[in-house]
Amino acid sequence: MIAEAGHYALVLALGLALIQATVPVLGARLRDPALMNVARSAALAQLLFVGLSFTALVFLHVTSDFSVANVFENSHSMKPLLYKITGVWGNHEGSMLLWVSILALFGGLVAAFGNNLPLSLRAHVLAVQAWVATAFYLFILITSNPFLRLDDPPIEGRDLNPVLQDIGLAVHPPMLYLGYVGFSISFSFAIAALIEGRVDAAWARWVRPWTLVAWIFLTLGIAMGSYWAYYELGWGGWWFWDPVENASLMPWLAGTALLHSAVVMEKRNALKVWTILLSILTFSLSLLGTFLVRSGVLTSVHAFATDPTRGVFILLILCIFIGGSLSLYASRASSLKQGGLFAPISREGALVLNNLFLTTACATVFIGTLYPLALEVLTGDKISVGAPFFNLTFGPLFVPLLLAVPFGPLLAWKRGDLAGAAQRLIAAGVAALIAMALLWSFVHGGSTLAPLAIGLAVFVIAGAGVDLVERIGLFRNPLGIVWRRARGLPRSTWGTAFAHAGVGVALIGIVCETTWNSEYIGTMSAGQSAKLAGYELKLDGLQSRQGPNFRELLAQFTVTEAGRPIGVMNPSKRSFAARGSSTSEAALLTRGVSQLYVSLGEPAADGGIAVRIYHKPMVLLIWFGPLLMAFGGLLSLSDRRLRVGAPKPARQARGLQAAE
């Protein structure tokens, strides 16, 4: 009964989405406030019913109702409760239901908190959201129904893919989807603006918080996915340039460009056409990522679907929304009035340069990801585009971008002083030179470019500090005045500094891990030791034990440094009988921001076992950087200007808008 109720709720959500997609548009055409207000009620009701549908699927998984095909294929009665819940989105059907639930959530949030929006704009925004929702409701109901019953219910389920039975899965997909789907609001605002033919600074003020929310969640989702792959897959890497990893990186790059472009539009009423285009492209890249994961064109640990019917359906959705939105953009963009002018050397100019490098980097990832797929479709030839291509194209684009990052906040709007900004950044440059000199003097081995890259990272971090120092007058004013100025600074200023510093922190982690990473790979038996990077790891022994739904071979390593014990590490191999597969559970020992990493391979005939041991210097900075970026985004989001949004129109003005 629960499955039928969940299915029925999903059908009702589709009906409400159809109402939300049509009635408000008709109301805007007829200038009828009552019809336009239908969008708000329909969006909230749609959120309620899709929420009920998602809750029903969670209940079916928790209670192990194996009469439902989705539960049978992806659950097991002995699976821990946490993984029963997270297993809901560890498969194609459940993850798509999560996708539309988040889409409805964002639409409901606009409906609930968008009272200061002009009535017609809110109606069009919610209508566009409903168009997207309608397409995906149809996709789920026609090709991916999560509530299908089995005629002959089995006693036990097939269990979830073992590599997905991890706490990281509880965080990574929802975070990623909140980012992916969150950009739908920016898309809806852009399409609504094109329909109405009215784009101004107030529009940028309205769209910026939603874009920032999506960007924060996508940043956290990518970071969590990277860390999950690092410790769960047992290979010791944190980024593989997997096409599905790239599918999340592309909307992040475009979304970062969109955030900076929206700032220019809000402050100077400029870059209107470009900002609208970025809003469309960012969500289009999110849809593309959905297609890559769900279509079956890729084989990846992230990919779910292999049914070509689903791929064709999603491809049709892509063509309709991406093609339709770009066609509307091409027909309406020329009618949008251009905003204020600015000199090339200005804060606007710096943000334009930022956009240029970010979108070019996004284009290189796009080409490297899709070119092999296109070539295979056209010629049947299979080629692989891997890390060497992306490192040679993506990396060099970020060098000039990072050099320019500290200059942007120090330049004035409209016309800036480049020499003055450079003079204020002398201290940051000196800090970078000192860091490079120390590395060249005391660190040996690795690429000669590594100290330069770390010097660049230090320049970015110190440059973010220089901006704050300049604004609060540190070293020039008494501490009381400095404190008052620091408290009076807009939170968005603090947020910008933290986000920029986060980029530098992540770069230090990336360079250190890839340059000075050391490894030991071999077969070890009980009592044997391995030495690595000043540490000695002794294999004390192996033991077998039974887990909830797996059997585990557990190893114990005693770790010493200069003869002093510092910890015990317990990597394991898990065998899942229901799935007939096994996983390697890596053991991590954290020392500051560096880590020792041990994973097990296959047992040897003589009683030993294959072992991979890595020392990864400064590796945790790779993920501390995105956390710092997300924290900066949260600070900016808490800024009063973004919390308040655009001013609420006066009653008389609202009456005139409704009568227009």
Side-chain angles (χ1 to χ4, degrees):
M1 187 64 186
I2 297 296
E4 286 71 26
H7 184 261
Y8 185 56
L10 198 59
V11 173
L12 289 177
L14 170 61
L16 288 164
L18 289 169
I19 293 171
Q20 182 183 331
T22 53
V23 174
V25 176
L26 179 63
R29 182 65 60 90
L30 298 176
R31 298 178 177 83
D32 186 332
L35 291 179
M36 285 189 279
N37 275 320
V38 168
R40 184 174 185 272
S41 303
L44 293 173
Q46 183 197 148
L47 173 60
L48 172 64
F49 282 106
V50 76
L52 290 173
S53 181
F54 186 78
T55 302
L57 187 59
V58 172
F59 181 82
L60 293 169
H61 274 260
V62 169
T63 57
S64 297
D65 186 346
F66 298 123
S67 68
V68 177
N70 183 265
V71 181
F72 165 69
E73 292 286 345
N74 301 284
S75 192
H76 191 279
S77 60
M78 299 301 294
K79 191 167 65 171
L81 177 62
L82 174 64
Y83 300 147
K84 287 183 179 180
I85 296 172
T86 60
V88 171
W89 52 81
N91 59 87
H92 170 74
E93 293 83 2
S95 65
M96 289 310 302
L97 186 56
L98 175 65
W99 205 99
V100 292
S101 299
I102 293 175
L103 186 68
L105 172 64
F106 276 99
L109 290 174
V110 172
F113 300 106
N115 293 327
N116 61 340
L117 293 172
L119 191 55
S120 63
L121 178 63
R122 188 180 71 183
H124 280 120
V125 168
L126 291 176
V128 175
Q129 282 288 111
W131 297 344
V132 179
T134 298
F136 280 95
Y137 285 135
L138 289 172
F139 172 72
I140 292 173
L141 292 169
I142 294 173
T143 71
S144 310
N145 185 359
F147 299 105
L148 289 176
R149 291 279 192 182
L150 294 173
D151 294 332
D152 186 16
I155 298 175
E156 191 55 87
R158 294 185 58 196
D159 208 354
L160 182 66
N161 185 343
V163 299
L164 302 180
Q165 295 187 38
D166 183 82
I167 188 64
L169 187 69
V171 180
H172 168 55
M175 287 281 189
L176 205 62
Y177 284 12
L178 284 165
Y180 269 170
V181 183
F183 285 125
S184 66
I185 297 295
S186 307
F187 173 83
S188 297
F189 267 96
I191 299 303
L194 290 173
I195 291 172
E196 295 195 350
R198 183 171 54 190
V199 184
D200 52 22
W203 179 91
R205 178 74 63 85
W206 286 317
V207 81
R208 232 180 106 207
W210 299 103
T211 305
L212 191 54
V213 167
W215 182 86
I216 291 169
F217 280 117
L218 188 57
T219 301
L220 293 174
I222 292 173
M224 184 66 246
S226 169
Y227 191 64
W228 169 77
Y230 165 73
Y231 73 78
E232 176 63 23
L233 300 184
W235 62 294
W238 53 273
W239 193 264
F240 191 61
W241 292 108
D242 181 289
V244 182
E245 290 176 333
N246 295 346
S248 61
L249 179 62
M250 288 186 287
W252 185 86
L253 292 169
T256 306
L258 173 59
L259 277 176
H260 291 84
S261 179
V263 171
V264 177
M265 186 172 169
E266 179 188 346
K267 295 287 188 181
R268 299 281 299 130
N269 201 27
L271 301 184
K272 293 181 180 179
V273 175
W274 176 242
T275 305
I276 292 288
L277 179 60
L278 278 177
S279 300
I280 294 172
L281 291 179
T282 301
F283 184 59
S284 297
L285 290 169
S286 296
L287 290 177
L288 178 66
T290 303
F291 168 73
L292 290 176
V293 179
R294 314 292 159 189
S295 62
V297 300
L298 296 176
T299 300
S300 165
V301 69
H302 309 80
F304 292 125
T306 56
D307 184 355
T309 304
R310 294 170 176 172
V312 171
F313 202 115
I314 295 183
L315 186 60
L316 182 62
I317 293 175
L318 254 69
C319 292
I320 291 173
F321 286 102
I322 298 178
S325 59
L326 291 177
S327 298
L328 179 63
Y329 172 81
S331 63
R332 296 292 182 88
S334 60
S335 63
L336 299 178
K337 293 181 180 178
Q338 293 299 322
L341 299 176
F342 53 87
I345 304 299
S346 61
R347 191 175 300 186
E348 297 96 323
L351 292 171
V352 169
L353 184 68
N354 159 287
N355 271 223
L356 175 65
F357 283 115
L358 284 172
T359 51
T360 305
C362 182
T364 62
V365 177
F366 180 86
I367 293 170
T369 304
L370 293 187
Y371 175 74
L373 302 177
L375 185 66
E376 184 178 353
V377 170
L378 295 175
T379 66
D381 297 332
K382 290 187 177 182
I383 65 168
S384 175
V385 175
F389 167 81
F390 292 107
N391 292 339
L392 288 172
T393 55
F394 188 83
L397 287 170
F398 261 67
V399 172
L401 173 61
L402 293 178
L403 281 172
V405 162
F407 285 88
L410 297 176
L411 293 172
W413 293 103
K414 195 172 182 179
R415 185 178 297 277
D417 180 8
L418 185 61
Q423 186 175 8
R424 283 178 282 173
L425 286 171
I426 287 177
V430 170
L433 290 174
I434 291 173
M436 288 188 287
L438 289 174
L439 284 168
W440 269 318
S441 299
F442 297 105
V443 179
H444 304 287
S447 171
T448 55
L449 296 178
L452 291 174
I454 291 181
L456 178 59
V458 170
F459 179 65
V460 172
I461 297 169
V466 165
D467 180 42
L468 294 177
V469 168
E470 288 284 327
R471 289 175 182 271
I472 65 178
L474 189 64
F475 309 125
R476 296 199 310 266
N477 297 313
L479 288 179
I481 295 176
V482 169
W483 174 246
R484 285 197 297 274
R485 283 193 173 187
R487 291 183 60 188
L489 273 184
R491 292 183 187 177
S492 60
T493 300
W494 288 99
T496 299
F498 276 109
H500 287 176
V503 177
V505 169
L507 180 59
I508 291 175
I510 291 169
V511 173
C512 289
E513 194 279 333
T514 54
T515 304
W516 294 295
N517 171 52
S518 51
E519 67 179 14
Y520 168 88
I521 300 175
T523 300
M524 296 179 66
S525 299
Q528 290 186 335
S529 299
K531 294 183 178 180
L532 186 73
Y535 298 96
E536 183 173 351
L537 292 87
K538 180 182 177 182
L539 176 58
D540 298 323
L542 300 167
Q543 62 174 327
S544 296
R545 68 180 184 183
Q546 183 64 44
N549 59 332
F550 58 83
R551 186 155 187 84
E552 184 175 40
L553 178 64
L554 187 72
Q556 177 170 305
F557 287 84
T558 300
V559 184
T560 58
E561 183 181 20
R564 179 174 57 89
I566 60 171
V568 175
M569 302 179 71
N570 297 108
S572 67
K573 290 279 289 186
R574 292 179 178 177
S575 299
F576 294 78
R579 280 273 174 171
S581 59
S582 62
T583 63
S584 293
E585 301 296 317
L588 302 173
L589 180 63
T590 300
R591 304 281 290 168
V593 291
S594 301
Q595 283 188 331
L596 280 170
Y597 181 112
V598 182
S599 67
L600 302 181
E602 297 301 321
D606 60 358
I609 192 166
V611 175
R612 287 175 176 264
I613 304 174
Y614 301 94
H615 176 251
K616 296 183 171 293
M618 314 292 277
V619 68
L620 290 180
L621 294 184
I622 295 174
W623 300 290
F624 287 163
L627 288 177
L628 202 57
M629 285 186 262
F631 177 68
L634 285 172
L635 282 178
S636 296
L637 192 63
S638 68
D639 193 294
R640 184 178 181 277
R641 291 174 302 167
L642 291 186
R643 292 200 317 272
V644 173
K648 206 167 188 174
R651 284 186 185 174
Q652 183 178 1
R654 290 202 302 270
L656 290 173
Q657 286 175 356
E660 285 177 359

